[in-house]
Amino acid sequence: LRRIGNLNQRCSFIAYVLRWGGDDTVIYASTAALGFVAVLDDHPAGDAVALTRWREHRAEYACPRAPEWQTWCANDGVGQTQTAFADFVESRLEDMVKADGCAAPLDVLQMARQLTIRTKGTFQREINPTTGDSILVNKSETDTGSTVIPRAFAIAIPVFEGGERYQIEARVRFGFVDGSPRFTYGLHRRKEIERDAFNFVRRKVEGATGRLVLAGTP
């Protein structure tokens, strides 16, 4: 996994734990909820009944997803028409980056623009066995044109607000519905990237607070 850049954030959750927490404070990290619960009055070390506490003073923090992450995930695997796919690519061009084995952002934009003018005709699909790129051939009564569909393009977006950006490969696929092409993309290793981003936040919380961080819920 590749992180890009380093965007620092002031986390009120950390500040709260530092202000009101103590030596017995325990923080719980939930990978399912992608959030943290700090029990400031947790049981101290030892098993004596006299040391048992109520564990009612708590602070919670749910890692907020970045708008870019929500947008790309919402369209992950969703079939789009030529026009819809072109509009989406153009609107998110600032998220795209150059990467080895992936189409350059401007090449993806050019492909998207070409697709918007080819709404009628007969389509056939060809695959380049060397590069994995696809070729969409459009045949009409007057001419024949073709558009190279890249195997993948790359984006660099944060998973959480104020977090570091991750370089992600978006793999392009297309098929046909009623004779018209439908385009989709799949975010490669999406869940793994999300878990890595959460673990990065977990290490940051643990380092900044100096408190014990356990996996799970209290």
Side-chain angles (χ1 to χ4, degrees), residues 144-195:
T144 298
S146 63
T147 302
V148 176
I149 310 298
R151 180 191 65 84
F153 57 89
I155 61 175
I157 58 175
V159 176
F160 302 123
E161 290 185 7
E164 294 190 350
R165 294 181 297 151
Y166 281 79
Q167 182 172 298
I168 309 169
E169 183 178 285
R171 296 183 174 180
V172 180
R173 299 289 184 270
F174 70 92
F176 297 91
V177 177
D178 296 329
S180 297
R182 292 292 186 275
F183 293 82
T184 63
Y185 65 82
L187 299 180
H188 186 49
R189 303 172 72 185
R190 167 180 162 182
K191 291 298 182 181
E192 184 177 350
I193 290 172
E194 193 172 58
R195 287 194 300 269

Side-chain angles (χ1 to χ4, degrees), residues 48-140:
V49 176
L51 298 179
T52 301
R53 294 182 178 176
W54 291 106
R55 307 175 79 223
E56 291 182 340
H57 189 180
R58 303 186 177 192
E60 298 184 4
Y61 175 73
C63 297
R65 273 72 160 186
E68 300 93 330
W69 181 260
Q70 295 184 59
T71 298
W72 282 96
C73 288
N75 290 278
D76 186 4
V78 177
Q80 301 182 65
T81 64
Q82 293 179 352
T83 301
F85 182 73
D87 290 344
F88 179 79
V89 167
E90 291 188 39
S91 68
R92 306 308 307 180
L93 186 64
E94 68 276 8
D95 297 333
M96 299 181 185
V97 296
K98 294 182 179 180
D100 293 339
C102 295
L106 290 181
D107 291 339
V108 178
L109 177 60
Q110 182 180 9
M111 178 202 70
R113 284 175 172 167
Q114 291 175 344
L115 291 174
T116 60
I117 64 174
R118 295 176 179 174
T119 56
K120 297 181 180 180
T122 301
F123 298 90
Q124 70 181 53
R125 180 175 56 186
E126 300 175 2
I127 304 294
N128 185 322
T130 302
T131 64
D133 291 343
S134 303
I135 299 177
L136 179 64
V137 180
N138 177 30
K139 298 180 179 180
S140 65

